[in-house]
Amino acid sequence: MNTLPPPPDPLLLPVRDPRARDLVPDHADMHALVADLVLPGDASMYVMSAMETSRELIRHSYYRYEFATVAVTHSLFALEHVLSERLVTNEPLHALIERATGAGLITAGLGAELDRGRLLRDKLTQGAESSAALRPIRAVAMVRAVFDAVSLLLRPPTAAEATAAEATAAGVGGAHPDGGLARLWEDHLRALFPDGFRGVDFDGVDLVLLDADVAGLVQRELKGGLDDRGIAHLWGCIADLDKIVPLINEEYCASYFTKLRTMAQVAAVPYVPTAT
């Protein structure tokens, strides 16, 4: 009589998630999807770890579809860390992306793609999206934006970038950086309003009226400062800009209103301590 216990079940090997059946023929082919996600050699170990984990999560979404969405949210750890170090400020991610775009450290198009990742993360946190929100192919594009941004942000700053960063990364409270608002205003006067966007509104905000309101308030600030009513109006414009900029999907228009928001925020710097 055989008294030996039955052999244990063989180790279960991972199987392809059926939702990934149209992605690639085999797991080995997932490498091609992430082959161009190259880790920057001059990043810190923390940043490299977060980015490498994001890349591997996409690779293994072949077995678990939700890993693709998790890859995007995990990559934002690296992005937020690098942005905070480069801009020398500790602010929410959306504000860091705005500052980097306004300072010319990243393009408006790249900033918009990064903000889409940030919005996805926020929706996941609020329960408005599930971890299966993204297809792996879309996740690759969003993680690639993080890789591209980190590579740009790790480059040594040029003199022009340092000047722009000083203007847009002003600390809370105090006066404007030396000439910062005036330089932004001069740049704004040279910029053309986005063609085809006159009479257009986003979420009830008319772009032409918003542009004119901010311009008028900045002029008043440069000529001697704002009264309480002007300060309240300025904060209302900033709130409108925060709302509409992520909704603009045309690159020049998004860049124009991102710079307008930067100028408005710099104008508001002396009033931050009294704002509620």
Side-chain angles (χ1 to χ4, degrees):
M1 182 176 179
N2 186 359
T3 59
L4 293 175
D9 292 335
L11 181 65
L12 295 176
L13 296 176
V15 296
R16 179 173 61 183
D17 190 311
R19 293 169 291 179
R21 63 183 178 275
D22 298 326
L23 187 60
V24 292
D26 191 76
H27 179 252
D29 298 309
M30 293 293 290
H31 176 73
L33 290 181
V34 298
D36 63 339
L37 299 181
V38 180
L39 297 172
D42 48 354
S44 68
M45 288 300 297
Y46 173 83
V47 171
M48 290 185 70
S49 175
M51 296 174 73
E52 184 175 22
T53 298
S54 300
R55 185 181 64 192
E56 294 308 303
L57 282 166
I58 292 176
R59 195 197 306 271
H60 292 291
S61 65
Y62 179 87
Y63 297 122
R64 183 67 181 180
Y65 195 80
E66 284 81 358
F67 286 175
T69 299
V70 178
V72 174
T73 60
H74 196 84
S75 71
L76 297 180
F77 296 150
L79 175 66
E80 191 163 5
H81 184 82
V82 172
L83 281 169
S84 294
E85 286 196 337
R86 182 63 185 269
L87 296 170
V88 197
T89 183
N90 186 19
E91 294 186 65
L93 182 56
H94 76 274
L96 294 173
I97 294 171
E98 292 164 7
R99 288 188 183 277
T101 304
L105 299 176
I106 57 176
T107 66
L110 183 56
E113 182 72 350
L114 296 173
D115 202 54
R116 280 189 277 271
R118 191 270 308 173
L119 287 169
L120 172 63
R121 183 197 64 181
D122 291 351
K123 288 179 180 179
L124 287 165
T125 302
Q126 298 158 6
E129 285 283 6
S130 76
S131 295
L134 294 179
R135 297 183 67 250
I137 294 295
R138 181 70 182 106
V140 170
M142 297 179 80
V143 170
R144 183 181 292 113
V146 172
F147 272 66
D148 290 346
V150 168
S151 295
L152 289 171
L153 292 163
L154 289 175
R155 293 177 182 174
T158 65
E161 289 174 351
T163 300
E166 179 185 353
T168 57
V172 173
H176 302 300
D178 185 22
L181 182 60
R183 287 195 298 271
L184 292 171
W185 174 241
E186 290 171 3
D187 290 342
H188 179 72
L189 290 176
R190 290 191 293 267
L192 297 176
F193 190 87
D195 187 38
F197 284 86
R198 296 187 184 278
V200 174
D201 72 80
F202 284 89
D203 202 10
V205 178
D206 185 283
L207 298 188
V208 170
L209 292 178
L210 180 59
D211 180 50
D213 285 348
V214 173
L217 290 163
V218 169
Q219 282 185 299
R220 287 164 56 191
E221 174 63 16
L222 288 169
K223 290 177 179 178
L226 299 172
D227 57 18
D228 288 345
R229 185 175 178 180
I231 295 168
H233 191 182
L234 179 61
W235 284 112
C237 289
I238 291 173
D240 284 341
L241 286 161
D242 286 342
K243 179 170 61 173
I244 63 101
V245 167
L247 304 177
I248 302 173
N249 58 9
E250 197 276 327
E251 184 170 357
Y252 177 77
C253 187
S255 175
Y256 181 93
F257 280 93
T258 296
K259 291 175 181 177
L260 187 71
R261 176 168 51 184
T262 298
M263 184 171 65
Q265 289 170 327
V266 172
V269 165
Y271 310 111
V272 169
T274 59
T276 57

